[in-house]
Amino acid sequence: MLRIEDQIAAALPEQTCLAPVMPVGTGVPLDVDLAIINYGNHAPYHAGALALAVDRPALAIFHDAEMRHYIYGMEHQHGVKLPLLAGASEVELRPDGFDLVDPASRPLLQSIAAMSCAAVVHGPHYLASVAEVCPGPVENIPLCFPDFGAPHPAPRADGPFRITIFGVITAHKQPDRLIHAVAALQDRFGRIEIHLAGAIEDRDRAAFSALAVQYELDVPIFHNYLSDADMSEVLIRSDVICCLRYPVTEGGSASLITAMYHARPLIVSDVASYSVVPSELVEKVSYGNDPKDLSDSIARILDDLPSADQRALQARDWARDNFSTAAYVDRLEGVIARALSFLPVAEACRALAPTVCYPDGNIMLPALETLGRSVDELYMSRAVRGEGV
């Protein structure tokens, strides 16, 4: 395990790990066959990733579909500028979830993917963008997240129903959509408490409070930053948990998995990694801002809480099977094997790349095209026959 944070983030304590952990600034040992680089949209935690990617072709694991914050931090905090791919992407933004990478972010994501020998994504919504340019195998593997043994849901107390959004509370998690939806239900179900559990900026707190007052609702209950134990306590006392996103910028969702582990009735946006959860286990609403289908989903849960609770228990069992470390490793091992098979091709291409460039660094396009055709013929013909590289 090689730490790649910047010096400030590296001051954080290490996680307990069975493998030896090497400090920041350590290069990949020469006896390592394949480097696996985790990328996320936060430069302090992944500052050393680009140096490793330049050093050798690696298996890239993309935890986020949006990489602009990472690249901005690398450029302005660390003085590292990522060269972008030549030419425009042919993958178009489509409303059906085929590819939801923001067009302004796609060149950054794809430039990193192009330096890799293989890649893993955590949702279907950015698979196409990565697969378009990564020269080796690319696979969508659901995010894994540890089950810390969340306690059983607390018995429902007398009083208003509780609906919770948790995590870092921003407009992306759609508290405003929830407020609109609850406003349409207050005549039918009476007072409903909206709980916003997690860090929130003052401007967002003020905006969500004002919107609730506008609709003659109680101001949301803001829990601010919570420890894991305190967050768990809020979740188990919730009648409904909402995992909504608009727009989607992450890969997989740790919030989704955490919510499912807590076995509470759950409403998710029917998009990206959220869409892979079976529809019979959770309520799914449209990807967007429509409050009507969210109101309908809340009403279905509150009208039949015993059935909703049963579905939530089934969802927890499904999550334990599909988001477990074992399930992740089983699929990752297959990608590693395929990446190792392709690695000699990637290394050969890197070695040959300078031969298709002019001294000033510009590309000799005919030479590059010839090299590409030769690689395709040599590698793809053997891959089709199952011979490996």
Side-chain angles (χ1 to χ4, degrees):
M1 302 296 293
L2 177 60
R3 299 191 67 168
I4 57 173
E5 306 99 314
D6 64 16
Q7 293 300 323
I8 296 175
L12 297 172
E14 295 177 358
Q15 295 286 331
T16 302
C17 180
L18 295 177
V21 179
M22 294 178 283
V24 171
T26 306
V28 178
L30 294 177
D31 60 349
V32 170
D33 295 311
L34 178 68
I36 301 175
I37 303 176
N38 286 276
Y39 290 96
N41 195 26
H42 188 57
Y45 290 171
H46 305 272
L50 290 180
L52 295 180
V54 169
D55 182 57
R56 61 170 66 190
L59 166 57
I61 299 180
F62 292 102
H63 292 278
D64 289 293
E66 168 66 69
M67 295 298 293
R68 279 177 290 185
H69 290 169
Y70 172 68
I71 297 301
Y72 181 90
M74 291 302 299
E75 183 172 348
H76 293 275
Q77 296 172 16
H78 301 282
V80 177
K81 187 172 179 62
L82 177 69
L84 299 183
L85 289 174
S89 168
E90 297 178 358
V91 179
E92 297 179 356
L93 186 68
R94 286 172 41 172
D96 60 3
F98 172 76
D99 193 291
L100 293 175
V101 178
D102 188 300
S105 177
R106 185 177 292 122
L108 303 173
L109 177 67
Q110 291 190 320
S111 295
I112 300 173
M115 292 192 294
S116 309
C117 69
V120 168
V121 298
H122 292 321
H125 55 297
Y126 60 124
L127 175 63
S129 280
V130 173
E132 182 189 16
V133 296
C134 180
V138 179
E139 186 163 343
N140 172 25
I141 303 178
L143 179 71
C144 70
F145 199 71
D147 182 358
F148 294 110
H152 288 289
R156 286 195 170 85
D158 294 334
F161 293 115
R162 299 180 175 188
I163 303 178
T164 299
I165 293 175
F166 72 103
V168 178
I169 306 299
T170 68
H172 284 194
K173 295 197 174 183
Q174 299 195 287
D176 53 345
R177 184 181 185 184
L178 177 59
I179 290 170
H180 283 95
V182 168
L185 297 173
Q186 58 184 344
D187 289 342
R188 179 174 173 183
F189 293 102
R191 179 169 163 252
I192 296 175
E193 289 182 354
I194 296 175
H195 289 251
L196 302 180
I200 183 172
E201 293 189 5
D202 290 341
R203 64 183 181 185
D204 289 328
R205 183 197 310 271
F208 299 143
S209 297
L211 184 61
V213 171
Q214 176 184 335
Y215 282 95
E216 300 182 350
L217 300 175
D218 290 344
V219 171
I221 297 171
F222 297 97
H223 294 267
N224 301 313
Y225 176 82
L226 295 171
S227 67
D228 289 343
D230 289 340
M231 180 68 80
S232 184
E233 186 68 19
V234 171
L235 296 180
I236 63 174
R237 295 186 180 280
S238 300
D239 295 292
V240 182
I241 298 175
C242 290
C243 282
L244 310 175
R245 291 293 185 281
Y246 188 78
V248 171
T249 60
E250 76 273 23
S253 171
S255 297
L256 168 68
I257 303 170
T258 299
M260 296 180 75
Y261 284 161
H262 280 78
R264 304 310 303 129
L266 181 60
I267 301 174
V268 304
S269 299
D270 190 12
V271 69
S273 61
Y274 308 91
S275 65
V276 305
V277 179
S279 298
E280 63 269 21
L281 302 181
V282 298
E283 289 282 338
K284 294 183 177 180
V285 296
S286 60
Y287 180 57
N289 293 307
D290 180 17
K292 176 62 169 60
D293 58 354
L294 180 56
S295 293
D296 292 343
S297 289
I298 294 171
R300 279 193 292 271
I301 291 172
L302 299 185
D303 278 335
D304 191 355
L305 286 170
S307 294
D309 288 343
Q310 183 60 37
R311 292 170 68 196
L313 291 171
Q314 294 170 347
R316 181 178 64 184
D317 292 341
W318 185 90
R320 285 172 170 170
D321 288 338
N322 288 273
F323 297 132
S324 68
T325 302
Y328 186 87
V329 170
D330 283 347
R331 296 187 62 179
L332 183 61
E333 286 180 336
V335 180
I336 290 173
R338 292 161 61 200
L340 285 168
S341 177
F342 181 75
L343 185 58
V345 177
E347 291 174 333
C349 287
R350 283 206 178 189
L352 291 170
T355 68
V356 298
C357 294
Y358 292 107
D360 62 1
N362 287 319
I363 298 171
M364 293 184 281
L365 188 57
L368 180 62
E369 291 174 343
T370 300
L371 175 61
R373 284 194 300 270
S374 298
V375 170
D376 282 344
E377 291 170 2
L378 289 171
Y379 171 65
M380 292 306 296
S381 62
R382 299 191 66 183
V384 168
R385 294 197 302 268
E387 298 177 8
V389 175

